[in-house]
Tab-separated table of all heavy atoms in Angstrom:
chain	number	residue	atom	x	y	z
Z	193	TRP	N	56.640	90.868	80.160
Z	193	TRP	CA	56.486	92.318	80.055
Z	193	TRP	C	57.624	93.001	80.794
Z	193	TRP	O	58.189	93.969	80.334
Z	193	TRP	CB	55.178	92.768	80.679
Z	193	TRP	CG	53.960	92.463	79.911
Z	193	TRP	CD1	53.797	91.540	78.918
Z	193	TRP	CD2	52.716	93.093	80.066
Z	193	TRP	NE1	52.519	91.559	78.458
Z	193	TRP	CE2	51.828	92.498	79.157
Z	193	TRP	CE3	52.250	94.105	80.906
Z	193	TRP	CZ2	50.501	92.883	79.054
Z	193	TRP	CZ3	50.939	94.483	80.810
Z	193	TRP	CH2	50.072	93.880	79.882
Z	194	ALA	N	57.903	92.498	81.983
Z	194	ALA	CA	58.896	93.152	82.818
Z	194	ALA	C	60.271	93.116	82.175
Z	194	ALA	O	61.046	94.056	82.295
Z	194	ALA	CB	58.940	92.485	84.191
Z	195	MET	N	60.582	92.034	81.498
Z	195	MET	CA	61.905	91.901	80.909
Z	195	MET	C	62.002	92.562	79.537
Z	195	MET	O	63.004	93.171	79.199
Z	195	MET	CB	62.269	90.414	80.793
Z	195	MET	CG	62.359	89.728	82.157
Z	195	MET	SD	63.435	90.607	83.322
Z	195	MET	CE	64.989	90.495	82.469
Z	196	THR	N	60.975	92.424	78.730
Z	196	THR	CA	61.027	92.954	77.369
Z	196	THR	C	59.694	93.545	76.969
Z	196	THR	O	58.849	92.848	76.403
Z	196	THR	CB	61.418	91.850	76.360
Z	196	THR	OG1	62.576	91.163	76.829
Z	196	THR	CG2	61.711	92.447	74.989
Z	197	PRO	N	59.432	94.818	77.267
Z	197	PRO	CA	58.206	95.444	76.784
Z	197	PRO	C	58.138	95.326	75.267
Z	197	PRO	O	59.113	95.577	74.580
Z	197	PRO	CB	58.359	96.905	77.228
Z	197	PRO	CG	59.354	96.858	78.340
Z	197	PRO	CD	60.283	95.731	78.008
Z	198	ARG	N	57.014	94.914	74.745
Z	198	ARG	CA	56.917	94.761	73.305
Z	198	ARG	C	55.533	95.171	72.844
Z	198	ARG	O	54.577	95.116	73.613
Z	198	ARG	CB	57.214	93.321	72.892
Z	198	ARG	CG	56.302	92.281	73.545
Z	198	ARG	CD	56.765	90.883	73.143
Z	198	ARG	NE	55.860	89.866	73.633
Z	198	ARG	CZ	55.901	89.367	74.861
Z	198	ARG	NH1	56.807	89.808	75.708
Z	198	ARG	NH2	55.062	88.434	75.246
Z	199	PRO	N	55.394	95.538	71.578
Z	199	PRO	CA	54.112	96.027	71.091
Z	199	PRO	C	53.100	94.916	70.913
Z	199	PRO	O	53.442	93.746	70.816
Z	199	PRO	CB	54.478	96.644	69.740
Z	199	PRO	CG	55.654	95.854	69.297
Z	199	PRO	CD	56.422	95.544	70.549
Z	200	TYR	N	51.854	95.299	70.883
Z	200	TYR	CA	50.790	94.362	70.596
Z	200	TYR	C	49.668	95.118	69.912
Z	200	TYR	O	49.667	96.337	69.846
Z	200	TYR	CB	50.263	93.679	71.863
Z	200	TYR	CG	49.646	94.612	72.864
Z	200	TYR	CD1	48.289	94.878	72.842
Z	200	TYR	CD2	50.426	95.257	73.827
Z	200	TYR	CE1	47.706	95.749	73.755
Z	200	TYR	CE2	49.857	96.124	74.738
Z	200	TYR	CZ	48.500	96.360	74.696
Z	200	TYR	OH	47.947	97.218	75.591
Z	201	GLY	N	48.690	94.416	69.407
Z	201	GLY	CA	47.541	95.054	68.791
Z	201	GLY	C	47.920	95.810	67.531
Z	201	GLY	O	48.824	95.433	66.793
Z	202	SER	N	47.207	96.915	67.285
Z	202	SER	CA	47.384	97.660	66.045
Z	202	SER	C	48.792	98.205	65.891
Z	202	SER	O	49.296	98.368	64.773
Z	202	SER	CB	46.386	98.812	65.985
Z	202	SER	OG	46.620	99.718	67.042
Z	203	ARG	N	49.473	98.486	66.989
Z	203	ARG	CA	50.816	99.049	66.901
Z	203	ARG	C	51.825	98.027	66.379
Z	203	ARG	O	52.888	98.375	65.896
Z	203	ARG	CB	51.269	99.559	68.272
Z	203	ARG	CG	50.480	100.751	68.764
Z	203	ARG	CD	50.829	102.000	68.005
Z	203	ARG	NE	50.026	103.120	68.467
Z	203	ARG	CZ	50.002	104.286	67.883
Z	203	ARG	NH1	50.702	104.504	66.801
Z	203	ARG	NH2	49.248	105.252	68.354
Z	204	VAL	N	51.528	96.744	66.520
Z	204	VAL	CA	52.421	95.727	65.979
Z	204	VAL	C	52.558	95.925	64.477
Z	204	VAL	O	53.665	95.948	63.927
Z	204	VAL	CB	51.893	94.314	66.286
Z	204	VAL	CG1	52.762	93.271	65.581
Z	204	VAL	CG2	51.884	94.059	67.782
Z	205	GLU	N	51.424	96.083	63.803
Z	205	GLU	CA	51.449	96.265	62.362
Z	205	GLU	C	52.185	97.544	61.988
Z	205	GLU	O	52.938	97.589	61.016
Z	205	GLU	CB	50.020	96.301	61.808
Z	205	GLU	CG	49.313	94.946	61.801
Z	205	GLU	CD	48.911	94.485	63.198
Z	205	GLU	OE1	48.703	95.341	64.064
Z	205	GLU	OE2	48.816	93.266	63.409
Z	206	GLU	N	51.977	98.610	62.765
Z	206	GLU	CA	52.657	99.870	62.467
Z	206	GLU	C	54.165	99.713	62.611
Z	206	GLU	O	54.937	100.209	61.783
Z	206	GLU	CB	52.157	100.973	63.387
Z	206	GLU	CG	50.741	101.439	63.082
Z	206	GLU	CD	50.397	102.698	63.862
Z	206	GLU	OE1	51.336	103.445	64.197
Z	206	GLU	OE2	49.207	102.929	64.112
Z	207	ALA	N	54.592	99.047	63.681
Z	207	ALA	CA	56.025	98.859	63.897
Z	207	ALA	C	56.632	98.003	62.798
Z	207	ALA	O	57.714	98.299	62.283
Z	207	ALA	CB	56.266	98.218	65.269
Z	208	GLN	N	55.941	96.929	62.438
Z	208	GLN	CA	56.441	96.061	61.383
Z	208	GLN	C	56.491	96.800	60.052
Z	208	GLN	O	57.445	96.651	59.282
Z	208	GLN	CB	55.559	94.810	61.283
Z	208	GLN	CG	55.685	93.893	62.494
Z	208	GLN	CD	54.676	92.763	62.464
Z	208	GLN	OE1	53.675	92.814	61.752
Z	208	GLN	NE2	54.954	91.728	63.233
Z	209	ALA	N	55.464	97.601	59.775
Z	209	ALA	CA	55.439	98.367	58.532
Z	209	ALA	C	56.590	99.363	58.497
Z	209	ALA	O	57.252	99.546	57.467
Z	209	ALA	CB	54.102	99.091	58.388
Z	210	GLY	N	56.840	100.008	59.631
Z	210	GLY	CA	57.944	100.958	59.691
Z	210	GLY	C	59.275	100.284	59.438
Z	210	GLY	O	60.144	100.822	58.739
Z	211	ALA	N	59.451	99.084	60.005
Z	211	ALA	CA	60.693	98.351	59.797
Z	211	ALA	C	60.855	97.959	58.332
Z	211	ALA	O	61.941	98.075	57.747
Z	211	ALA	CB	60.718	97.112	60.688
Z	212	ARG	N	59.747	97.486	57.705
Z	212	ARG	CA	59.807	97.077	56.303
Z	212	ARG	C	60.135	98.251	55.395
Z	212	ARG	O	60.805	98.105	54.383
Z	212	ARG	CB	58.479	96.456	55.874
Z	212	ARG	CG	58.223	95.055	56.425
Z	212	ARG	CD	57.085	94.402	55.672
Z	212	ARG	NE	55.841	95.141	55.802
Z	212	ARG	CZ	54.939	94.948	56.766
Z	212	ARG	NH1	55.169	94.040	57.696
Z	212	ARG	NH2	53.825	95.662	56.808
Z	213	GLN	N	59.650	99.421	55.749
Z	213	GLN	CA	59.853	100.598	54.915
Z	213	GLN	C	61.142	101.345	55.263
Z	213	GLN	O	61.389	102.436	54.770
Z	213	GLN	CB	58.657	101.540	55.051
Z	213	GLN	CG	57.352	100.934	54.548
Z	213	GLN	CD	56.150	101.799	54.891
Z	213	GLN	OE1	56.299	102.959	55.236
Z	213	GLN	NE2	54.957	101.225	54.781
Z	214	GLY	N	61.930	100.750	56.129
Z	214	GLY	CA	63.193	101.382	56.485
Z	214	GLY	C	63.024	102.638	57.307
Z	214	GLY	O	63.824	103.571	57.187
Z	215	ASP	N	61.978	102.698	58.128
Z	215	ASP	CA	61.713	103.879	58.956
Z	215	ASP	C	61.814	103.473	60.424
Z	215	ASP	O	60.803	103.217	61.080
Z	215	ASP	CB	60.316	104.424	58.647
Z	215	ASP	CG	60.050	105.758	59.342
Z	215	ASP	OD1	60.845	106.142	60.214
Z	215	ASP	OD2	59.027	106.390	59.019
Z	216	PRO	N	63.028	103.407	60.970
Z	216	PRO	CA	63.191	102.932	62.352
Z	216	PRO	C	62.523	103.828	63.373
Z	216	PRO	O	62.072	103.355	64.413
Z	216	PRO	CB	64.716	102.898	62.536
Z	216	PRO	CG	65.252	103.834	61.507
Z	216	PRO	CD	64.322	103.734	60.339
Z	217	ARG	N	62.438	105.151	63.094
Z	217	ARG	CA	61.799	106.029	64.074
Z	217	ARG	C	60.317	105.732	64.196
Z	217	ARG	O	59.759	105.723	65.294
Z	217	ARG	CB	61.984	107.502	63.677
Z	217	ARG	CG	63.329	108.070	64.019
Z	217	ARG	CD	63.715	107.846	65.455
Z	217	ARG	NE	62.828	108.499	66.402
Z	217	ARG	CZ	62.647	108.100	67.654
Z	217	ARG	NH1	63.264	107.031	68.124
Z	217	ARG	NH2	61.839	108.755	68.449
Z	218	ARG	N	59.668	105.475	63.065
Z	218	ARG	CA	58.250	105.127	63.107
Z	218	ARG	C	58.036	103.849	63.909
Z	218	ARG	O	57.113	103.761	64.726
Z	218	ARG	CB	57.725	104.959	61.686
Z	218	ARG	CG	56.260	104.522	61.627
Z	218	ARG	CD	55.825	104.344	60.189
Z	218	ARG	NE	54.522	103.695	60.113
Z	218	ARG	CZ	53.995	103.232	58.986
Z	218	ARG	NH1	54.655	103.356	57.853
Z	218	ARG	NH2	52.810	102.656	58.997
């Protein structure tokens, strides 16, 4: 966590979906 904060839980799917849809801000 200290070195690389990363998403987990429901936000993982949202982040992955945003990346797949070409929406980096999402």
